[in-house]
Amino acid sequence: MSTKIIFFSLCLAALCASQARAQIIVSDGTKVVNDTIGEAQLLVQYETRCIPNTEKPEKVMEETMMLEVGKNLSKFYSYTKYVCDSVLAVDFANKASQETINEHMKQYGGSKLSERTFKGYPAGKVTTLDEVAGMTRLRCEESEERPQWKILAENDSILSYLCGKAECQFKGRTWTAWFTADIPVSDGPWKLCGLPGLILKAEDSEGHYSFTATGMEQCHTYRPILFDGKKHEPMNRKAYDKVHERYYADPVGFITGSMPNVTVTIQDEHGNATKNPKNVPYNPLERGK
């Protein structure tokens, strides 16, 4: 990055009346390079709910996530982030003012689940991409690990599909999933997969995360599955988790330590100056094994 000083705001968006969360988004206008890695055959929309602060379980965040399923691979990503990235790309191309960019980041950049999960890419691997504060770009490539499910006798109906029930221990959480054999795709939200049908609903036993399918469509026209992680910094899972822990412990310190030429201003949702956020609630989807 050049030595040019970049000014940006940290907007403390109200998570609820008594709990604010640091809304921290930075962008240097770097052009994102997308590689086509496959073609989507099925598109599934999931309404996702998560509890970022386990001490305040009544405060729930919602996110719309998308699953693109192709031949032998899939991509799971935040629709909120997709919209934000698309808007900012237009802003940078049109040389929009910093005020306009900041307003769009505030309007569209509230994605809690900013990770993109690529199952089966590269072959036999799972790749996770993320941007911490919008500028520290991470790529974590791991061997593909399928949950070991126990299929139960219960049934339910989701989106008018008859679904079976299954449970597993996976990545530090106990998961319950509902899957339909009517859609013989062994895939689902995030890293969840390996059942004899598409997973339409999944939730962990603590109620911290849930994914519920709200719509799907067969792709009758060409829809490429894009991978934008070629220039992301590769690292193993331990290092990847450590970066996120450092960021949530001290977001401003993380940013200024990584980018000393950045000047940070911090405002609340009303535009008033406020103090640096520290120890932002952190409840990751994945908690080791």
Side-chain angles (χ1 to χ4, degrees), residues 38-256:
E39 179 180 353
Q41 301 171 347
L42 178 68
L43 182 65
V44 189
Q45 176 178 297
Y46 292 90
E47 193 60 39
T48 302
R49 294 166 60 87
C50 69
I51 295 174
N53 185 352
T54 57
E55 295 181 359
K56 296 182 180 293
E58 72 279 6
K59 308 305 177 185
V60 179
M61 292 194 64
E62 297 183 349
E63 183 95 17
T64 298
M65 305 292 289
M66 307 300 292
L67 175 69
E68 295 175 344
V69 181
K71 185 178 180 180
N72 301 322
L73 62 84
S74 65
K75 175 182 178 180
F76 186 67
Y77 61 95
S78 162
Y79 184 71
T80 303
K81 176 174 170 53
Y82 167 77
V83 171
C84 178
D85 288 350
S86 300
V87 170
L88 293 181
V90 173
D91 282 347
F92 289 124
N94 293 334
K95 299 181 179 179
S97 67
Q98 188 65 49
E99 181 179 5
T100 297
I101 292 172
N102 285 346
E103 180 60 32
H104 284 164
M105 287 193 292
K106 179 180 178 181
Q107 182 179 357
Y108 298 106
S111 173
K112 176 62 180 175
L113 299 176
S114 58
E115 292 183 331
R116 280 89 74 213
T117 303
F118 298 81
K119 296 195 288 291
Y121 182 79
K125 303 285 187 179
V126 174
T127 299
T128 304
L129 303 179
D130 201 5
E131 289 85 40
V132 179
M135 296 185 75
T136 302
R137 298 174 174 87
L138 313 177
R139 182 176 81 244
C140 179
E141 184 179 301
E142 306 166 275
S143 296
E144 188 172 25
E145 181 181 350
R146 295 201 160 210
Q148 299 301 305
W149 297 97
K150 178 182 179 181
I151 296 180
L152 306 177
E154 298 176 52
N155 294 306
D156 201 352
S157 177
I158 300 171
L159 293 179
S160 299
Y161 288 97
L162 178 63
C163 294
K165 184 179 182 181
E167 292 181 348
C168 73
Q169 300 280 340
F170 188 63
K171 303 296 183 181
R173 296 183 184 274
T174 299
W175 290 95
T176 298
W178 297 91
F179 65 96
T180 177
D182 292 338
I183 305 176
V185 174
S186 186
D187 213 323
W190 181 50
K191 295 181 177 181
L192 300 176
C193 61
L195 284 165
L198 180 68
I199 296 173
L200 295 183
K201 183 177 180 178
E203 56 190 357
D204 77 302
S205 60
E206 296 169 278
H208 292 174
Y209 285 88
S210 69
F211 307 97
T212 304
T214 54
M216 71 177 75
E217 65 175 284
Q218 297 286 339
C219 298
H220 298 295
T221 58
Y222 178 68
R223 183 188 179 99
I225 298 178
L226 302 176
F227 179 80
D228 61 336
K230 180 177 288 186
K231 295 186 177 181
H232 287 51
E233 181 182 356
M235 58 184 60
N236 61 30
R237 171 54 60 174
K238 184 176 180 180
Y240 179 90
D241 290 342
K242 191 65 177 179
V243 171
H244 286 83
E245 290 168 5
R246 283 174 44 223
Y247 169 72
Y248 279 92
D250 182 8
V252 175
F254 178 93
I255 294 168
T256 56

